Amino acid sequence: MAISRSLLFVLLVVVCAAYDNGQYDGPDEVELRLLEPAVVPDPVDGVSRWWYTPSQKAHIYRHKYPKNIEAQPRQGEDLRLPGDILPRLYTIRLLPFIEVGNWTTDGYVEIVVDCVISTVNISMNSLDLTIDLASVTVADVQTGNPIDVVNFIDEQSTRELITIQVSQPLTVGRQYRITMKFISILNALLAGFYRSSYVENGETKYLAVTQFEATDARRSFPCFDEPTMKANFTVTVGRPETWTSTSNMPLITTEPIVGMPGYVWDNYQTSVIMSSYLVAFMVSEFIGIPAEPGLSNVEFRIWARADARNLTDYSRDIGPRILEFFESFYNIDYPLPKQDMAAIPDFAAGAMENWGLITYREQYLLVDPNTATARAIQLAAVVSAHELAHQWFGNLVTMDWWNALWLNEGFASYMEYLGTDAVEPDFKMNDQFILENLQYVFGIDALETSRPINIEVNTPAEINSMFDAISYEKGSCVIRMCADFIGFETFQRGLTRYLNDNAYGNAGQDNLWAALQTQADSENVLLPATVKEIMDTWTFKMGFPLITVTRNYQTGGAIVTQNRFLLRKSNDTTDPIVYQWWVPLTYTSDYTQATKRDWLSVNEVSKTLTSLGAAANQWVIFNVDQQNYYRVAYDAANYGLIRDQLIADHQRVSDNNRAQLLDDAFTLALIESIAYSEALDLTLYLKNERDYVPWHAVLSELNYIDIMLYNLVEFPNWKNYMTSIVEPYYTAIGFQETQADPHLIKYSRIDAMNWACRLGVADCVQNALSTYATLMSQPDNLAQIVSPNEKSTILRTAIENGGQAEYDFAFNQYKTKGDTSFLVAMCASKQASVLSGLLEMLLDPTSGILRSDVNLVFNNVANNPIGNEIALDFLINRWDDIQNALGSSFFGTWYRYVCTRQNTQAGLDKLIQLRDAHPVILGNSNSVKQGLETVESNIKWVSLNQGEIGTWLAGHQPAKNFEAIRQ
């Protein structure tokens, strides 16, 4: 069904807009410019959803590449190396001067190359290096005879290339040795070989570390910086003798640097064959803490600041065990003699899978399970599993070019769930997959602006754009689907075949499909087409299908139809692609029986299934456990049967399918494919639901309805209904966290407490106030009094329901301890004067609110239903004062923030007037355009759905007087 463009933004708001979950670190001014329209910063506590970001893991992985590139090649320009010369062995010697005012590295590289096509031009990658031209030599390896260098072409600033021209053509089949000296910069771009810093015991300390993926090895040394041009690397790194260094391979010897007292060379073992982007080294004052013996056959260490030693225990425990699991799963030994993992204080990527030396942001490696949130602990395990999975998928076998990046990242994003589940089964990672990956990426891949998983890329900018939700989350989803229709064990053995066939080499997706096909054939797995034919429809086409199931209750069959699912469809589209897929159909009416299977072919829009194996009064559910990558819509009668089953005994439907039913239904209602009444009917059973996955799947959709109805006459009925389903969930989970609580119970409590306290459930509010009062009397015992998982809800609820004393305490904690959780809680006040005062404080540099936190305050005030209009008026009436105090960098972002809750024509008119009053700053802002379209879509949503939802709510008011449980 074609729908208006503005409805796209409704979905984005549905995914994100919870005023009391909106806790964020404000971006700096540079990030605000760079991320527009992706202006929303990363969540602090992991509870909030991501939106307007390229990947749910964007805050982990988006900076695998530098964001401050001064010169960018033209889009589409072919910057590939010619391939006539291929590297075989690098000998690299680097001496970094990690000194304020210097920040340079003296470098020397010797590269043994093979000539595969005769040429007089030796081209390789180089960027921001000062080459000593007098040192450039080329010689025949076998004879030792030098070959004259007649010219040196430096295209570093335009094409990231240097070319050595020699006096005679190189001979095919012979090896040559290229040498040169150079100076590189320990830059502040967090790319290449760069500098980082931290403070220890009041002293600023520095280190030098690498980040080469995707195309930044060339910033450190001249190289053939393409993934297929694999070679061995022998690394020597200089350092002060009191410091340490580490690299991909084990240290062999250390020797003094002649003429430099106090400095030594660390000589490392020659690496296995690998791509240049996986080379890594670090020079620092870090200490290496070994894992306990017996956890792995591989030497395993964590490198970290000396004063962070006590935060390494968790990673030292799970890392080796995950590595052991992957060795068993792949049935291939880890190829290197050691595995280091380093916690970097100032690191662009969340983590980087350098072979033998994985680097991390500190927050993903250094955790204290006694004080960290459940989300932070899970994230540490997941990121480690992701990077360790890469040691096989990505490092042992590398994609042949960046268009197949998803073979690296999609697989790691899939395997991270298996790896984490192996060491933390209590996390139930396989249940969480549909929330974290599948249902999230549906929202991106349902846009006409999506892209296929596999597309052509050439320039560094094009390559960098591949690090997105399509490569990561969608890649993981189609891999999971493939494993399901082939059979998991067959799939597992097929992966081992693929890795063995391509070890230490490169591969494309066809190599993977061929290995899986061979394995499937050997095990007599019957498929309707080849693995390649099936999977090519999912990797070379963007999007995914909506499977519509229309049952024939007389015959027991059904018509099953596939159509591309879109949140909006342009009337003037010129896309020639036929969006049909090979769709694996799975369905059941009884989870105790074997899943029924069929296929829709790529050439079939619809298909008649003669028998579903269900009586006319039995429900049928398609996409069992949501293993496959599509949404499902049913006829009204089947929705009714499912609703009745959920109410009668919801556990006869798997928790993943309960989550799927809710997520699919509300998304379909959003685009007017089904009535909201049908979606809301499916929530009736939630008063009996106790599992995390179904609840979490629907809460963002319910939150959007909550926001839209807040100022409407239907809101009291909505609040009563929500209380009737949330209060039993909260009561069953309870307020008090215990050490014995399973991991997902902690997650459930976060959701249940958030909504119960928000709705005013008395037990939740009273417990929050009591806990906060205890904290006020013992402010130095925060960790002992307040669980980190409950902290944001308790603080917010105390401010919402407390008085001046609670507010003043929060402000004092923020000022004295720098804890922004208290500042965020202050923004939840229900008093308009307090919220106005908070905004005024943003303009006063002596107010106590740090400049770095002003965006945090405005965002949370704007997301407060009482504060939203106050924030808009502040933006309108204090424009000049804001500009004088803070500059103009926040205006576009703040404009976008106030739009989320606006859903009236009067509000839209006011916002348009504000834009028109400041055309220079707001007129061409993507954030402003997004904001206005969001308001337009909100207005349309209210117009379309207020009456229907109001009628439904009027007919489903709880018999119990819930005012008795609310304050």
Side-chain angles (χ1 to χ4, degrees):
M1 178 184 293
I3 62 174
S4 70
R5 182 172 189 269
S6 61
L7 277 179
L8 156 65
F9 293 93
V10 174
L11 179 79
L12 298 174
V13 176
V14 166
V15 169
C16 72
Y19 78 86
D20 45 0
N21 276 350
Q23 302 177 31
Y24 302 95
D25 284 325
D28 57 31
E29 292 183 22
V30 172
E31 281 193 320
L32 285 171
R33 293 194 298 270
L34 289 165
L35 295 181
E36 190 173 321
V39 294
V40 178
D42 304 337
V44 171
D45 59 5
V47 176
S48 308
R49 296 266 189 149
W50 291 263
W51 70 98
Y52 300 123
T53 53
S55 166
Q56 181 150 306
K57 298 182 177 67
H59 70 290
I60 303 177
Y61 300 114
R62 71 180 173 213
H63 297 315
K64 278 194 170 180
Y65 44 88
K67 58 185 180 180
N68 298 327
I69 303 295
E70 293 182 1
Q72 283 287 355
R74 297 186 300 274
Q75 289 293 103
E77 183 178 0
D78 189 353
L79 301 183
R80 299 288 297 272
L81 294 172
D84 42 21
I85 301 294
L86 297 178
R88 287 293 170 258
L89 172 65
Y90 290 82
T91 301
I92 304 164
R93 188 177 69 227
L94 299 171
L95 177 59
F97 294 97
I98 310 172
E99 303 170 1
V100 176
N102 191 339
W103 307 130
T104 61
T105 298
D106 283 353
Y108 168 83
V109 65
E110 175 182 299
I111 313 172
V112 175
V113 299
D114 289 337
C115 178
V116 295
I117 300 174
S118 182
T119 182
V120 295
N121 296 316
I122 304 172
S123 294
M124 65 185 75
N125 297 111
S126 182
L127 180 61
D128 294 338
L129 303 180
T130 302
I131 309 294
D132 180 358
L133 299 184
S135 72
V136 178
T137 69
V138 179
D140 186 300
V141 169
Q142 184 175 355
T143 66
N145 293 332
I147 299 174
D148 291 340
V149 175
V150 297
N151 195 15
F152 184 89
I153 302 172
D154 190 331
E155 299 178 282
Q156 293 189 77
S157 63
T158 56
R159 302 184 67 217
E160 302 184 5
L161 296 174
I162 56 174
T163 300
I164 303 167
Q165 292 184 336
V166 293
S167 60
Q168 62 191 59
L170 303 183
T171 302
V172 174
R174 297 192 71 84
Q175 287 192 329
Y176 297 88
R177 179 177 288 106
I178 305 164
T179 67
M180 69 187 79
K181 297 178 182 178
F182 57 91
I183 295 175
S184 65
I185 303 299
L186 292 172
N187 63 69
L189 298 176
L190 310 185
F193 193 25
Y194 72 92
R195 66 181 185 265
S196 178
S197 65
Y198 58 98
V199 176
E200 188 174 79
N201 298 324
E203 178 187 356
T204 299
K205 294 189 173 183
Y206 297 92
L207 66 146
V209 68
T210 56
Q211 171 56 44
F212 287 167
E213 190 179 29
T215 58
D216 285 309
R218 64 193 66 176
R219 291 178 181 270
S220 179
F221 56 93
C223 57
F224 296 80
D225 203 10
E226 295 190 3
T228 56
M229 297 185 178
K230 290 190 169 186
N232 301 101
F233 294 82
T234 302
V235 173
T236 296
V237 178
R239 62 173 173 86
E241 60 184 358
T242 58
W243 289 34
T244 60
S245 76
T246 185
S247 187
N248 304 87
M249 301 298 290
L251 178 66
I252 301 174
T253 61
T254 297
E255 58 187 357
I257 298 179
V258 176
M260 291 190 64
Y263 278 78
V264 296
W265 291 117
D266 283 340
N267 302 303
Y268 287 91
Q269 188 180 117
T270 299
S271 76
V272 297
I273 296 172
M274 63 184 186
S275 301
S276 55
Y277 77 87
L278 294 171
V279 176
F281 29 84
M282 178 178 71
V283 177
S284 69
E285 295 183 76
F286 283 4
I287 58 172
I289 308 103
E292 293 298 323
L295 293 178
S296 172
N297 294 323
V298 176
E299 180 185 347
F300 212 101
R301 289 177 301 182
I302 305 294
W303 290 89
R305 296 175 282 110
D307 62 358
R309 182 188 186 107
N310 64 317
L311 301 178
T312 65
D313 291 349
Y314 183 70
S315 294
R316 287 192 299 120
D317 175 61
I318 62 164
R321 292 193 291 123
I322 293 172
L323 193 72
E324 289 289 297
F325 166 76
F326 284 140
E327 284 190 315
S328 174
F329 182 88
Y330 295 130
N331 197 25
I332 298 173
D333 289 342
Y334 175 68
L336 303 188
K338 64 94 173 175
Q339 178 64 70
D340 288 340
M341 302 201 299
I344 311 302
D346 188 11
F347 192 59
M352 177 60 210
E353 66 268 18
N354 313 301
W355 215 349
L357 174 54
I358 302 173
T359 44
Y360 295 77
R361 288 193 204 178
E362 283 192 335
Q363 69 200 79
Y364 301 129
L365 192 63
L366 305 180
V367 294
D368 183 351
N370 296 317
T371 59
T373 64
R375 175 68 66 176
I377 295 169
Q378 176 176 306
L379 196 54
V382 166
V383 174
S384 286
H386 183 102
E387 303 308 327
L388 288 167
H390 272 310
Q391 307 305 297
W392 287 265
F393 261 96
N395 297 8
L396 181 64
V397 180
T398 309
M399 75 267 152
D400 51 16
W401 184 242
W402 297 103
N403 63 294
L405 174 71
W406 79 276
L407 285 179
N408 282 18
E409 300 302 348
F411 261 97
S413 297
Y414 172 67
M415 292 303 302
E416 70 189 34
Y417 285 83
L418 303 185
T420 304
D421 187 65
V423 299
E424 294 284 15
D426 182 50
F427 289 5
K428 296 185 177 180
M429 293 302 300
N430 294 326
D431 289 345
Q432 292 192 56
F433 183 94
I434 66 167
L435 299 175
E436 301 291 336
N437 283 23
L438 189 144
Q439 292 179 2
Y440 169 77
V441 76
F442 272 166
I444 294 171
D445 206 23
L447 308 178
E448 287 186 320
T449 54
S450 184
R451 68 165 179 86
I453 288 176
N454 193 321
I455 58 172
E456 180 180 354
V457 291
N458 290 302
T459 70
E462 291 169 343
I463 291 167
N464 292 337
S465 71
M466 298 291 284
F467 290 84
D468 64 0
I470 301 303
S471 291
Y472 284 81
E473 283 91 342
K474 183 177 181 179
S476 70
C477 291
V478 299
I479 290 163
R480 178 172 174 262
M481 177 174 64
C482 183
D484 185 66
F485 72 69
I486 289 178
F488 183 77
E489 293 182 355
T490 302
F491 177 79
Q492 181 179 354
R493 288 186 285 270
L495 295 186
T496 300
R497 179 186 295 274
Y498 165 78
L499 291 170
N500 282 324
D501 288 349
N502 299 283
Y504 302 103
N506 297 81
Q509 65 182 45
D510 284 354
N511 300 99
L512 176 60
W513 307 148
L516 293 175
Q517 185 68 56
T518 300
Q519 195 65 39
D521 290 343
S522 71
E523 300 186 23
N524 298 314
V525 175
L526 298 179
L527 298 171
T530 66
V531 174
K532 172 178 168 55
E533 288 170 336
I534 293 168
M535 295 305 295
D536 278 358
T537 66
W538 296 94
T539 58
F540 288 117
K541 294 179 183 179
M542 71 177 95
F544 59 91
L546 169 65
I547 301 302
T548 302
V549 180
T550 306
R551 294 180 62 182
N552 186 322
Y553 294 90
Q554 285 70 45
T555 67
I559 297 175
V560 180
T561 303
Q562 66 163 311
N563 295 103
R564 184 184 179 189
F565 181 87
L566 286 171
L567 294 169
R568 63 175 177 87
K569 186 174 182 179
S570 301
N571 295 324
D572 57 351
T573 181
T574 59
D575 189 346
I577 301 297
V578 177
Y579 286 98
Q580 292 171 201
W581 294 261
W582 274 104
V583 183
L585 301 173
T586 59
Y587 55 98
T588 188
S589 56
D590 184 348
Y591 285 83
T592 66
Q593 302 298 313
T595 297
K596 300 177 181 66
R597 295 178 180 270
D598 211 318
W599 287 85
L600 264 177
S601 87
V602 68
N603 298 317
E604 292 178 310
V605 174
S606 64
K607 179 175 184 175
T608 299
L609 303 181
T610 56
S611 176
L612 298 179
N617 63 350
Q618 282 184 291
W619 49 267
V620 175
I621 290 175
F622 274 65
N623 198 0
V624 176
D625 287 331
Q626 207 168 17
Q627 289 284 340
N628 299 306
Y629 191 66
Y630 52 80
R631 290 195 183 275
V632 183
Y634 301 101
D635 56 82
N638 197 52
Y639 273 123
L641 292 169
I642 293 171
R643 173 202 61 208
D644 293 344
Q645 177 61 71
L646 291 174
I647 293 171
D649 182 2
H650 64 277
Q651 292 186 339
R652 287 191 60 190
V653 178
S654 73
D655 56 352
N656 277 15
N657 276 128
R658 300 198 301 272
Q660 175 214 13
L661 287 163
L662 292 162
D663 183 62
D664 280 356
F666 276 92
T667 303
L668 292 167
L670 185 68
I671 64 170
E672 304 170 59
S673 287
I674 68 172
Y676 257 104
S677 58
E678 289 180 312
L680 288 166
D681 278 351
L682 295 180
T683 68
L684 291 168
Y685 93 97
L686 284 173
K687 63 185 178 182
N688 298 317
E689 179 65 80
R690 302 294 178 264
D691 287 338
Y692 165 75
V693 172
W695 263 110
H696 198 74
V698 76
L699 284 179
S700 59
E701 285 86 354
L702 298 179
N703 186 72
Y704 179 68
I705 298 174
D706 186 272
I707 290 172
M708 290 300 97
L709 297 183
Y710 185 81
N711 289 315
L712 304 181
V713 295
E714 291 79 9
F715 189 73
N717 281 351
W718 168 256
K719 190 173 182 181
N720 285 339
Y721 176 70
M722 284 300 298
T723 304
S724 74
I725 61 175
V726 167
E727 194 263 347
Y729 184 39
Y730 165 78
T731 300
I733 300 298
F735 183 91
Q736 191 63 45
E737 180 179 305
T738 69
Q739 288 187 341
D741 281 338
H743 185 71
L744 288 192
I745 289 295
K746 295 177 182 177
Y747 274 23
S748 292
R749 183 175 291 108
I750 292 170
D751 287 342
M753 279 182 58
N754 176 31
W755 275 88
C757 284
R758 172 179 176 175
L759 291 164
V761 173
D763 183 80
C764 187
V765 173
Q766 290 165 4
N767 272 295
L769 286 169
S770 175
T771 303
Y772 194 85
T774 303
L775 178 63
M776 290 176 66
S777 66
Q778 304 175 49
D780 294 329
N781 293 327
L782 173 65
Q784 291 72 40
I785 296 169
V786 180
S787 161
N789 299 307
E790 302 175 359
K791 180 180 176 183
S792 62
T793 297
I794 289 172
L795 300 187
R796 186 200 71 233
T797 303
I799 297 298
E800 284 181 343
N801 297 274
Q804 190 66 41
E806 285 77 11
Y807 179 90
D808 290 343
F809 175 78
F811 193 33
N812 184 63
Q813 292 299 293
Y814 163 70
K815 289 190 295 184
T816 58
K817 298 179 180 178
D819 189 340
T820 57
S821 298
F822 287 92
L823 184 63
V824 170
M826 292 161 59
C827 301
S829 173
K830 294 180 180 178
Q831 300 179 39
S833 59
V834 169
L835 299 174
S836 295
L838 266 173
L839 295 178
E840 290 295 331
M841 292 169 70
L842 303 183
L843 308 181
D844 180 1
T846 66
S847 69
I849 296 178
L850 299 178
R851 167 65 182 262
S852 59
D853 293 330
V854 297
N855 192 69
L856 184 72
V857 171
F858 190 91
N859 182 19
N860 282 276
V861 171
N863 277 320
N864 182 328
I866 295 172
N868 182 261
E869 200 66 32
I870 295 170
L872 176 55
D873 288 341
F874 177 76
L875 196 56
I876 293 170
N877 298 325
R878 303 301 301 277
W879 182 278
D880 292 340
D881 296 324
I882 295 170
Q883 192 163 23
N884 291 334
L886 302 172
S888 59
S889 62
F890 289 113
F891 283 128
T893 309
W894 289 6
Y895 188 102
R896 176 65 187 86
Y897 288 160
V898 299
C899 290
T900 298
R901 303 188 68 93
Q902 293 287 327
N903 61 4
T904 66
Q905 187 61 48
L908 178 61
D909 292 342
K910 187 184 284 190
L911 285 160
I912 291 173
Q913 290 172 6
L914 176 60
R915 179 202 62 188
D916 293 345
H918 305 283
V920 174
I921 294 176
L922 300 180
N924 295 313
S925 168
N926 286 329
S927 298
V928 170
K929 294 174 184 175
Q930 286 179 350
L932 291 176
E933 289 183 305
T934 297
V935 179
E936 290 168 353
S937 66
N938 290 346
I939 293 170
K940 182 172 183 178
W941 186 93
V942 171
S943 173
L944 289 172
N945 300 299
Q946 179 182 3
E948 179 190 359
I949 292 175
T951 300
W952 189 93
L953 288 170
H956 292 85
Q957 285 301 287
K960 181 178 179 180
N961 179 10
F962 276 91
E963 290 303 320
I965 65 170
R966 294 197 298 270
Q967 288 188 328

